[in-house]
Amino acid sequence: MTSATDLPLQGIRVLDLTRLLPGPVATMHLADMGAEVIKIEDKGVGDYARSMGYVRKSVSQFFVAVNRGKQFMTLDLKDAADREQFLSMVDSADVVVESFRPGVMDKLGVGWDVLKQRNPRLVMCAISGYGKDGPFAQLAGHDINYIGYAGMLDQNAGPDGVPALPNLQIGDLLGGAQAAVQGILAAIIGARTSGHGRFVDISMTDTVFAHNIMPLVAVNNFGKVALPGRDLLTGGAACYNVYRTADDRFMAVGALEPKFWEACCDVLERPDFKPRHWAYGQHVGGEDATALKAELDAIFAQHDMAYWTEKFALADCCVTPILRTEEALEHPLFQARGMALKAVHPTEGEYWATGPGIKFHR
């Protein structure tokens, strides 16, 4: 495996002006891959995430979780001397990342037109809710708004049709952080090969919209999306569903392919269920699928999650327990991969941390 001193972004310098969740996660990923990330905060309160939620000692665990591996400094970009200091840092930087509303950097005198004149190879990434242009460019928003506009939240609903709020911020993390990393890395390669930097315009809403694949397929096939809880991956098939156990926990059944479904039926000792699968003509969201789901509900309710976890442990059929986060942190899966570990923060003491999720090998 690649050592900490031999990561692919060694030698890349990133100036991070972002706050809260999307930008800090993006720059944290860059730091995890070896980049030197200098987080620049306003003088005074700094990044709002510092005081967001529960503060154990001096800073919130939210801030700790998304800012590992960075250097920290404060500048007031409205102050001429501080602004000049920032511009001098831009001269030797590879990347600048910001998450203000479109136009704010220009008003501060550090917009793209200014920065690219000082450093033609610079990559600048702007993360915003709706992009640098378009009718919503100046509107405020949060994750719930972005995934609502993109059609994703409508599909994240149970049979009652009420959208459920995910505790994974899809717009912020898929739309903001991951898309920003993707764009930044592509632009860095472009700058290395052409000598010219790029402005990377990230709209969190656009990115969620671009990845809303299965509903798009449904619209192309049928002119509209399926009813809530009635599509193949949203609850309309018994072979891909969640089931409550006797102890009010849940099992995830992901037996989409016939071979997995048949193995699942063998574990359940119900070979008669094998033909009742979408691949064999069962109508997704139809009466038989709904009836089969009810039969499986009754079966899984007979035993607790530990029983079903053990029963399916040796069966290759994609049936697994639904863990709570505190359980996942202790689970051998993440422990063995170095993804869950106890870290020590200089002021906050010991805390759980997750690994970067990407490993590099030679």
Side-chain angles (χ1 to χ4, degrees), residues 54-125:
Y54 176 71
V55 176
R56 184 191 294 176
K57 293 181 180 178
S58 61
V59 69
S60 74
Q61 282 297 308
F62 174 33
F63 183 87
V64 170
V66 300
N67 285 289
R68 67 167 174 257
K70 303 176 187 179
Q71 302 173 34
F72 300 90
M73 65 179 297
T74 60
L75 289 175
D76 178 3
L77 294 180
K78 296 178 181 178
D79 177 80
D82 282 8
R83 183 165 58 252
E84 187 56 40
Q85 182 179 350
F86 173 73
L87 290 171
S88 68
M89 295 172 68
V90 168
D91 293 342
S92 60
D94 297 283
V95 182
V96 171
V97 190
E98 60 97 352
S99 58
F100 302 114
R101 292 198 206 193
V104 169
M105 290 287 282
D106 293 315
K107 291 178 182 177
L108 291 171
V110 291
W112 174 235
D113 288 338
V114 172
L115 300 190
K116 70 180 179 180
Q117 291 298 319
R118 294 189 66 112
N119 183 351
R121 298 172 66 90
L122 183 73
V123 171
M124 181 174 176
C125 178

Side-chain angles (χ1 to χ4, degrees), residues 211-256:
H211 286 84
N212 205 20
I213 303 297
M214 300 310 290
L216 175 65
V217 170
V219 170
N220 286 334
N221 283 336
F222 310 112
K224 60 181 180 180
V225 297
L227 293 173
R230 302 294 288 275
D231 210 349
L232 179 62
L233 303 182
T234 62
C239 67
Y240 195 88
N241 229 305
V242 295
Y243 294 95
R244 188 186 298 270
T245 59
D247 54 344
D248 273 338
R249 299 297 300 276
F250 292 89
M251 296 294 290
V253 175
L256 271 178

Side-chain angles (χ1 to χ4, degrees), residues 279-292:
Y280 299 140
Q282 184 191 61
H283 178 59
V284 173
E287 289 186 13
D288 187 60
T290 302
L292 180 56

